[in-house]
Amino acid sequence: MHLGFLLVEDDTDHVQLLKRSLDRLTWLSYDLIHAPDSRRAIELAQNHLLDATFVDYCLSDESGVQLIGAFRARGDRRPIVLLTSQGDEYLVAEAMRAGASDYIAKNDLNSPRLGDVVRRIANYSSHVLRQERALSEIWRRLELLTPREREVMEMMVEGKTTHEIADAMSRSDNTIKIHRSHVLRKMQAHTPAELTHMVLQTRTAELQQQY
């Protein structure tokens, strides 16, 4: 299992502590990039493929909670793990409200808890990767449709019958049946309901990208 991490930490000793702790997870291979402050963290997060971010609560320029909020405000949905000097419930609650996915106290980095946190990150990344691959395949199939087939597909998704589509396009029912058949074949959908689900997935993804 290979994962990419960003660590936002202004104490170099603690950077080494996390590295040593991750190295003890023999089932994990990883890349770790380090940002000493929030400004650099934002830059690195934008320019690297990452699976998760570890954020220290106490940073030199702002609190880790503020940085977590900034990541979420930018639309970053990757897991963010808060690192604390101790498991303060108030700090943890504050971080969770800001958008943290998980937390771990630094004195627990050598405990099984770090492995549990990393496994949750891996499960999330695997799920997201499967979703992205499925969406890419749907978009690839959409590109195979002709403009006329796209038009037919949109009306199929709206729930229109063959006859209703034929009336709207001033075509015969048989012509529309042929177009519907081509659409389902190219999209590899067995039913109009399956086709509708595919199209709605792409629309949801497009809306998420806008925000």
Side-chain angles (χ1 to χ4, degrees), residues 147-171 176 180 183 192 195-196 199 203:
R148 182 58 53 84
E149 288 166 351
R150 282 246 188 180
E151 191 177 356
V152 170
M153 182 193 72
E154 291 296 335
M155 284 188 269
M156 291 173 67
V157 170
E158 292 170 5
K160 287 184 168 59
T161 65
T162 297
H163 186 66
E164 288 171 334
I165 297 172
D167 281 348
M169 298 180 66
S170 300
R171 295 290 187 275
I176 298 304
R180 285 171 60 102
V183 168
L195 173 69
T196 299
V199 173
R203 290 177 181 172

Side-chain angles (χ1 to χ4, degrees), residues 51-124:
D51 293 288
T53 300
F54 289 91
V55 177
D56 183 32
Y57 177 76
C58 295
L59 298 172
S60 59
D61 54 348
E62 64 179 353
S63 76
V65 171
Q66 289 174 308
L67 178 57
I68 291 169
F71 274 128
R72 295 310 188 208
R74 290 171 175 268
D76 191 329
R77 295 180 177 82
R78 290 169 293 200
I80 302 176
V81 180
L82 179 75
L83 297 173
T84 65
S85 296
Q86 53 188 351
D88 186 305
E89 292 184 2
Y90 172 78
L91 297 183
V92 170
E94 183 184 15
M96 292 299 178
R97 286 194 295 270
S101 313
D102 214 329
Y103 76 96
I104 186 168
K106 290 179 182 178
N107 57 12
D108 285 335
L109 286 176
N110 291 324
S111 75
R113 175 156 170 71
L114 177 62
D116 294 339
V117 169
V118 172
R119 284 189 178 91
R120 284 193 286 273
I121 291 169
N123 290 338
Y124 176 85

Side-chain angles (χ1 to χ4, degrees), residues 15 30-31 34 36 42 55 85 95 106 127 138 141 145 160-161 163 185:
V15 174
Y30 69 91
D31 294 315
H34 169 232
I42 295 292
V55 177
S85 296
K106 290 179 182 178
H127 173 69
I138 294 172
R141 295 174 192 173
L145 301 180
K160 287 184 168 59
T161 65
H163 186 66
R185 177 177 55 80

